[in-house]
Amino acid sequence: MTGQWWREGVFYQVYVPSFQDGDGDGFGDLWGVERRLDYIAALGVTAIWLSPVYASPLLDFGYDVSGYTEVGAPFGDLAVFDQLVRGAHDRGLRVVLDYVPQHTSSEHPWFRDALSGRDGAHRDWYIWHDPKPDGGPPNNWASAFGGSSWTFHEPTGQYYYHAHLPEQPSLNWRNPDVQQAMFDVMRFWLDRGVDGFRVDAVWRLIKDAQLRDNPMDDGGESFEIGGAAAHTTVRQVQKYTADQPELPGLLARMHTVTEEYDDRMLMGELHLKLERVAALGGRGLDLAMNFSLIDTPWNGLDLANLIQRYYAALPPGSHPNWVLSNHDRSRLASRIGPERVPGALALLLTLKGTPTLYYGDELGLPDAPVDGAHARDCAELRAPGLGLGRDPQRMPMPWREKPARAGFTPDDVESWLPIPSWAGRFSVESQELSPRSVLCLVKELLMLRRELAVLRRGDITVLSAHPDHLAYLRGDGEDAVLVAVNLSERHQSIAFSGTGRALWSSHATAGERDQQAGAIDLAPFEARLLAVT
Ligand code: NOJ
């Protein structure tokens, strides 16, 4: 597993608070992840992306870091972190850690020092500015969680900038000391054996030095949190707060830190137009995370258009990446409907490029509604009832069928987010032995991806696109694999002049339906893979 392993890898995103409670406090942790390593390895993925596990007040559940070289108490400690990395490596799994360089927690000692006075040693580690003459914030920059991204600090008479919560002050990446300190944080974890980082909010890392106002949204951006429609407060084009001209240079420097070690990588969170995401891949970021499958209307024409646009935009040498779900957006099953989930997972795992699979999507988990009394996410707490909250897509993983807490935590312990009574039906235990379950389909697809190099390396050509279906070819010549997905509740027939050997279907046992020349007939919502013969 050496030499740019991530190019042929499959990432599994573990949202640590929700994966497995290992110490019986109702909150997921590293002991829990360690206990589930066999499950992850048996799925057939090749790398784990761990959400942040640093010391944190948990206002944004780890994305507010108060100590970068510590493991936060509810997540575990350094000993279990090391054990987890070793255990993963023993099973052939890579471990990528979430790295949060854009902002710290307001509890971080650097920020506490910055608050101590204008001459505090760390004052310039953050972004400070005088008020406008009327006392207002320096410009119109909006926070991702709504409202202004400037908060006034009375005792020192200046505003500080935070792209997210006021409790998440943004670091000043124009300051070389910040760069050095944050590169040392990377080294700390690379020394402990992590295989790379998922870099949080990286498109926002550096802001306009002149602090110019952002223009309003032109409808073309992709949004980080919630859906674009819900985000009236952040409908600003991030013209001066994201993707600044200095960004590629900074990313390149960040990448050189990984190059001090063997075979490490960076994948970056970028919510930008598709062409910009594509362009930033390979320039400091080994993988530029591509969230467009989340935002694209789920029909064959839009999907085909997206696929073609994306590959066409990738500069030579840059590697494609696909994200189908994550902890910030409504779950796949709730977005497109449960019956379309197998087809969507077939797309994710057979498109050209490195897929990222969100924990629970392999079970077809839908969002779990969380009532106001149980809400935990800051996006919900700041704007209750607007549908911005991210708790529903962070439901604790259901492992077992019968227990009330589904094996996530002991039954007599309250889990940090509620576990609905229906959770057991989706559990690993109840799907494992059922051959057409989403879990088994995902395992089969991942197995095929391991067996067939063409699914990892082959080129891609769209063969047929229609609002109700999509078909493409991976590779050419003898090894080609055809992928056909029916997105509708009606039978679909796709013209195809060749013949094919059945490899996999979401509906029938693979091997039953070899393909004769003519047309590929797909049952409602069926996805099929054929080895072209
Ligand atoms: C993106 C993360 O995915 C999200 O969960 C978090 O709230 C923000 N960045 C801030 O770190």
Side-chain angles (χ1 to χ4, degrees), residues 13 15 49 52 60-64 98 100 102-103 144-145 163-165 168 198-204 224-225 269 271 291 326-328 377-378 390 394:
Q13 181 190 352
Y15 188 69
W49 150 26
D60 195 6
F61 293 98
Y63 288 99
D64 47 332
D98 220 306
V100 190
Q102 199 281 140
H103 48 276
F145 291 124
H164 302 89
L165 296 176
Q168 292 169 305
R198 175 265 187 189
V199 191
D200 184 66
V202 73
W203 83 110
R204 296 178 185 269
E224 167 189 7
I225 294 160
E269 188 201 17
H271 294 277
F291 298 95
N326 69 9
H327 61 294
D328 293 328
D377 178 32
C378 54
R390 299 167 294 176
R394 299 171 177 183

Side-chain angles (χ1 to χ4, degrees), residues 163-321:
H164 302 89
L165 296 176
E167 293 85 357
Q168 292 169 305
S170 293
L171 282 164
N172 174 14
W173 273 80
R174 294 184 182 275
N175 182 333
D177 293 339
V178 168
Q179 296 182 17
Q180 273 326 310
M182 289 308 293
F183 292 160
D184 283 345
V185 168
M186 292 171 69
R187 293 187 182 99
F188 176 87
W189 296 100
L190 291 165
D191 285 339
R192 299 197 98 85
V194 304
D195 298 285
F197 300 99
R198 175 265 187 189
V199 191
D200 184 66
V202 73
W203 83 110
R204 296 178 185 269
L205 203 56
I206 190 146
K207 296 89 185 151
D208 180 40
Q210 297 172 49
L211 306 188
R212 281 169 281 187
D213 274 353
N214 274 332
M216 290 314 282
D217 177 30
D218 60 3
E221 299 243 331
S222 128
F223 289 84
E224 167 189 7
I225 294 160
H231 267 252
T232 46
T233 49
V234 291
R235 292 192 72 96
Q236 258 185 17
V237 180
Q238 303 289 307
K239 183 166 180 189
Y240 296 113
T241 41
D243 195 16
Q244 296 303 287
E246 298 89 338
L247 184 65
L250 211 48
L251 295 179
R253 252 174 288 155
M254 197 178 270
H255 197 268
T256 36
V257 179
T258 64
E259 291 160 23
E260 295 165 16
Y261 301 77
D262 285 342
D263 224 9
R264 314 295 169 100
M265 61 89 65
L266 292 181
M267 60 200 246
E269 188 201 17
L270 302 165
H271 294 277
L272 296 167
K273 288 185 179 147
L274 186 64
E275 282 70 19
R276 269 314 282 162
V277 172
L280 282 165
R283 303 180 65 191
L285 295 174
D286 298 301
L287 291 177
M289 296 180 83
N290 165 17
F291 298 95
S292 51
L293 278 178
I294 301 181
D295 293 312
T296 299
W298 207 252
N299 73 69
L301 286 180
D302 282 299
L303 288 167
N305 178 34
L306 160 69
I307 291 166
Q308 283 162 328
R309 246 179 83 204
Y310 180 50
Y311 294 125
L314 282 171
S318 141
H319 190 73
N321 162 258

